[in-house]
Amino acid sequence: MIDPLVILTHPLPQEWIVTLEGHVRLVVGTEGFPGVSPELLEYLPEAEGILSLLTARMDGRLLDLAPKLRVVSNMAVGVDNIDIPYCTVRGIPVGHTPSVLTDATADLTMAILLSAARRLPESARDAREGRWGIWSPTGWLGADLRGATLGIVGMGKIGRAVATRAYGFGLRLVYADPAQYPELDAAYSALRIPFDELLQTSDFVSLHCPLNESTRGLMDASALKMMKPSAILINAARGPVVDSVALVHALTEGWISAAALDVTDPEPLPATHPLFELENCLIVPHIGSATIGARRRMAEIACENLLAGLAGERLPHCFNPDCDDNKSGLPSR
Ligand code: GLV
């Protein structure tokens, strides 16, 4: 029997996807292409699986070209690049990679929060460029953490991992989330409060919600204006949760004091973007999950999801389990 054809939207290190060997015929897209590269299109009619990166946008129009598709496996926890309702209606399971990047992303969140709070990029640059005079009592003053309030927007796995770390720094924790987390509240004195109140009272606002139609543009001009002028915004979720134009105003007009961004809209952010000109805006290139261990496990789980889908089995990490309702020939739940 001939192995199923699988599209890998971008190259991955061979040792991360070794479990695919001997099970699939792989066609691989172009390194660095910001989407599904054009040479892959001719393979879609025969493709039974797609292993995608979060940069590969897959809408219904593209997926319509793949009538034999049985699984989409995204090497990311977020699946906002994929038309999930479309996949669900077609009975196509979409795999993702939760949990394995939680610690890496929470660590990075604390890293950029601390960097912005303590002005590391500016002070490191000044030291390197010869602006390090005698020790100055008032030089490069930053924000205190102990006793300050961290508002976490979205208390999923990553939000909770940030909460445990932040507690260690003496930050008081408030959060906005559809759900209450009594254990977290008890262990870390966290308080669930309305979103507007979180914006008004937090010294740091850290975003950890998924990108969907209700969170797109959540941090628009009116939300940014609600924040304290001394507050710092941290985004390690998805770029479009923050309105970039409004953020430029917020940072230049003093609505907030600083921002630390792992994700931006657009992404990649062009080097000429006004946000790059702002001293009070720290930007790193979407490296939340970029540790050797996390990225390797993400790829391995993406392969496990893919192989399960091709075998007609339930995916170990399926984002849309309700797709089963639209699938024929599967054992019932
Ligand atoms: C990274 O941003 C992910 O969603 O995995």
Side-chain angles (χ1 to χ4, degrees):
M1 213 177 68
I2 172 162
D3 289 333
L5 184 74
V6 167
I7 289 177
L8 173 59
T9 62
H10 297 82
L12 287 173
Q14 186 53 33
E15 65 272 23
W16 292 2
I17 55 169
V18 72
T19 54
L20 299 184
E21 268 173 28
H23 298 289
V24 302
R25 284 176 296 139
L26 217 51
V27 262
V28 185
T30 305
E31 175 89 58
F33 190 84
V36 176
S37 41
E39 77 273 16
L40 293 177
L41 299 184
E42 65 176 287
Y43 294 98
L44 281 169
E46 288 305 314
E48 294 182 56
I50 298 180
L51 200 163
S52 50
L53 302 194
L54 55 84
T55 48
R57 174 149 298 286
M58 278 176 292
D59 55 18
R61 238 174 23 163
L62 183 117
L63 294 168
D64 266 343
L65 302 175
K68 298 186 179 168
L69 196 59
R70 290 190 286 130
V71 58
V72 175
S73 176
N74 211 32
M75 186 187 144
V77 62
V79 290
D80 47 279
N81 55 312
I82 300 167
D83 187 336
I84 297 292
Y86 172 93
C87 289
T88 304
V89 167
R90 261 188 64 186
I92 300 170
V94 176
H96 68 149
T97 64
S99 307
V100 289
L101 47 73
T102 302
D103 284 327
T105 308
D107 290 346
L108 190 275
T109 301
M110 291 309 295
I112 59 175
L113 183 155
L114 286 162
S115 294
R118 299 303 303 275
R119 301 172 58 186
L120 295 196
E122 295 161 70
S123 55
R125 186 205 52 210
D126 287 351
R128 180 188 290 266
E129 293 179 1
R131 283 184 292 277
W132 183 2
I134 62 154
W135 182 84
S136 159
T138 54
W140 301 289
L141 296 182
D144 292 290
L145 264 63
R146 184 162 299 281
T149 299
L150 169 64
I152 297 180
V153 179
M155 233 353 156
K157 286 195 176 72
I158 296 172
R160 296 202 291 280
V162 169
T164 62
R165 284 157 176 75
Y167 185 76
F169 283 90
L171 283 154
R172 293 190 320 117
L173 300 171
V174 296
Y175 65 98
D177 191 277
Q180 178 103 34
Y181 293 91
E183 284 149 39
L184 191 84
D185 302 353
Y188 302 106
S189 313
L191 199 61
R192 178 169 168 247
I193 59 175
F195 177 61
D196 288 2
E197 188 182 333
L198 179 148
L199 295 178
Q200 287 155 359
T201 56
S202 296
D203 300 295
F204 301 90
V205 172
S206 194
L207 307 175
H208 298 289
C209 49
L211 173 65
N212 53 40
E213 282 327 301
S214 59
T215 60
R216 187 177 293 278
L218 182 73
M219 295 306 297
D220 58 8
S222 71
L224 289 163
K225 276 185 179 157
M226 268 188 245
M227 289 176 64
K228 294 184 183 182
S230 56
I232 297 178
L233 175 70
I234 299 106
N235 189 7
R238 283 290 184 266
V241 176
V242 179
D243 177 336
S244 298
V245 174
L247 183 60
V248 172
H249 286 291
L251 292 168
T252 49
E253 293 162 29
W255 308 350
I256 66 174
S257 116
L261 311 175
D262 180 41
V263 291
T264 57
D265 182 24
E267 213 170 276
L269 198 66
T272 51
H273 195 280
L275 283 173
F276 275 124
E277 290 175 14
L278 304 177
E279 183 112 297
N280 54 351
C281 189
L282 163 63
I283 301 171
V284 293
H286 202 149
I287 57 169
S289 62
T291 67
I292 298 162
R295 286 281 166 85
R296 185 183 185 119
R297 276 305 286 146
M298 287 164 72
E300 289 170 350
I301 290 178
C303 291
E304 287 165 25
N305 283 332
L306 178 84
L307 291 173
L310 292 173
E313 293 160 7
R314 210 147 278 143
L315 314 195
H317 299 281
C318 186
F319 189 82
N320 61 339
D322 49 335
C323 73
D324 281 1
D325 302 342
N326 305 319
K327 209 184 310 187
S328 52
L330 260 196
S332 56
R333 268 186 270 190

